[in-house]
Amino acid sequence: GVFWGAFTLFAATTASIMSGAVIERIQTVGFVILAIVLGGFSWTLAAAWGWHADGWLVQNWGFHDFGAAGLVHAVAAFFALGVLINLGPRIGKFNADGSANDIPGHNMPFTATGLMLIIVGFWGFLMACLVVGGEAWSWGSNFSTIYGTPTNLGALSFNILMSVAGGIIGAWVMTRDPFWMMSGALAGIISCASGLDIYYPALTFIIAISAGVLLKPAAGIIEKMGIDDAVGAVTVHGTIGIYGVLLLGIFASGYPAVLGDNPPTVSFVGQLVGSVVFIIIGLGTGYVTSLILKMVGMLRVPEAAEIAGLDTVKVPAQAYPEGIAVSPPASN
């Protein structure tokens, strides 16, 4: 029951990752169908292959992804990328010459607060990847990873903190932008998630800084490809997720990928194979599902509905003060 609940939460997380990329122009029914496919099939397939001690990626290639940087974050992000290809950009995002316009968020304080809530939630999210006891007790550890390898709460707590700090610093140095600074915290965590059970804190800090530095330039490349990712979800979760998975193949090379006698060991090639598999699963299922929805008219809202705003059209409600009619002040 505990695992069912945890995996249901992870399924919802994949849908939340996709949601940020496709906001402001996707149909509700289309999004729900996509969320079911992503959370009920795409990521669970990746988890069965790479987040289980008996998964073929683990047993045959020594794949290791403790914090699910690849099999949750990257799968969801590349699924979103497949959807974005068929969904198209928001009205006004790109000019006739292909140049992009910046569409800023409505409320920077709320944006920063939301990102900080997500960052705090990562402590719970990643701690939930631990198993109490298990075979790792024979190694002198009270906690084990989903692969059966030992770790402890102190290592995870400090590594998560260092990854947040490093990501914030790297992104702020590159952008001086509060939005990207807070997104850098997420990028820092995701870049280190695969190896939080293995890394030393100093290495975690360095990896996270590099992820923060790469964040905005990587988002710029995706934008130049004509992809309108409203919140940078493909970059934060996809590009940085794969980056973190591959770095584990370098820094943890030779480390046991799973508990057991003569276990498969982590390698760069194994992490690369896992990354390619996750990209194919995410991008393939996202593209095909959204293409079918597009063909039957269930993917994108009409232009008039997008201009009016989905709050008004779909709920209907006015979420922001500027949408509320104000009576003129009474005369003296």
Side-chain angles (χ1 to χ4, degrees):
V2 172
F3 272 99
W4 183 88
F7 274 62
T8 301
L9 176 62
F10 294 147
T13 300
T14 61
S16 73
I17 292 169
M18 174 182 62
S19 69
V22 301
I23 55 174
E24 300 182 10
R25 74 272 203 202
I26 194 168
Q27 288 195 38
T28 302
V29 64
F31 176 79
V32 170
I33 293 171
L34 289 166
I36 291 172
V37 173
L38 173 56
F41 174 74
S42 303
W43 102 267
T44 55
L45 181 63
W49 289 351
W51 216 26
H52 191 286
D54 295 329
W56 68 270
L57 285 173
V58 179
Q59 290 295 326
N60 297 341
W61 294 97
F63 181 79
H64 191 91
D65 187 11
F66 164 76
L71 53 91
V72 168
H73 295 280
V75 168
F78 282 97
F79 186 99
L81 178 60
V83 175
L84 288 173
I85 293 171
N86 290 309
L87 183 63
R90 289 167 291 174
I91 296 172
K93 176 61 179 177
F94 294 105
N95 301 310
D97 60 0
S99 59
N101 298 310
D102 180 42
I103 303 178
H106 168 76
N107 189 307
M108 183 57 71
F110 277 2
T111 300
T113 301
L115 286 166
M116 285 188 283
L117 288 171
I118 295 172
I119 293 163
V120 172
F122 258 102
W123 264 272
F125 180 94
L126 292 166
M127 294 299 181
C129 299
L130 289 178
V131 179
V132 180
E135 292 183 71
W137 275 12
S138 62
W139 289 28
S141 174
N142 292 332
F143 296 92
S144 61
T145 69
I146 204 163
Y147 303 103
T149 52
T151 188
N152 60 77
L153 293 177
L156 286 184
S157 298
F158 197 44
N159 274 337
I160 294 170
L161 177 63
M162 296 301 283
S163 64
V164 170
I168 286 175
I169 292 171
W172 179 253
V173 167
M174 282 296 293
T175 68
R176 296 296 198 273
D177 185 322
F179 172 80
W180 286 108
M181 178 190 74
M182 298 309 301
S183 295
L186 299 182
I189 295 175
I190 294 168
S191 68
C192 302
S194 296
L196 287 171
D197 59 321
I198 298 172
Y199 291 149
Y200 281 100
L203 178 58
T204 302
F205 186 61
I206 294 170
I207 292 173
I209 289 177
S210 70
V213 169
L214 291 172
L215 188 59
K216 183 66 182 296
I221 293 173
I222 292 176
E223 188 173 79
K224 288 180 180 178
M225 295 168 60
I227 301 296
D228 180 15
D229 178 4
V231 300
V234 175
T235 302
V236 174
H237 299 272
T239 305
I240 300 301
I242 294 299
Y243 176 69
V245 169
L246 295 177
L247 285 184
L248 182 71
I250 297 173
F251 294 119
S253 181
Y255 187 91
V258 65
L259 191 68
D261 297 327
N262 298 315
T265 57
V266 177
S267 69
F268 180 79
V269 173
Q271 298 298 105
L272 177 61
V273 170
S275 297
V276 171
V277 169
F278 296 155
I279 291 172
I280 292 173
I281 291 174
L283 185 61
T285 55
Y287 180 83
V288 171
T289 307
S290 61
L291 179 61
I292 294 172
L293 291 172
K294 182 179 181 180
M295 293 171 64
V296 298
M298 297 172 64
L299 185 62
R300 183 159 182 156
V301 299
E303 181 177 344
E306 182 178 345
I307 293 173
L310 300 192
D311 288 346
T312 302
V313 174
K314 291 293 183 181
V315 178
Q318 287 293 329
Y320 309 113
E322 61 266 30
I324 300 175
V326 179
S327 300
S331 59
N332 294 328

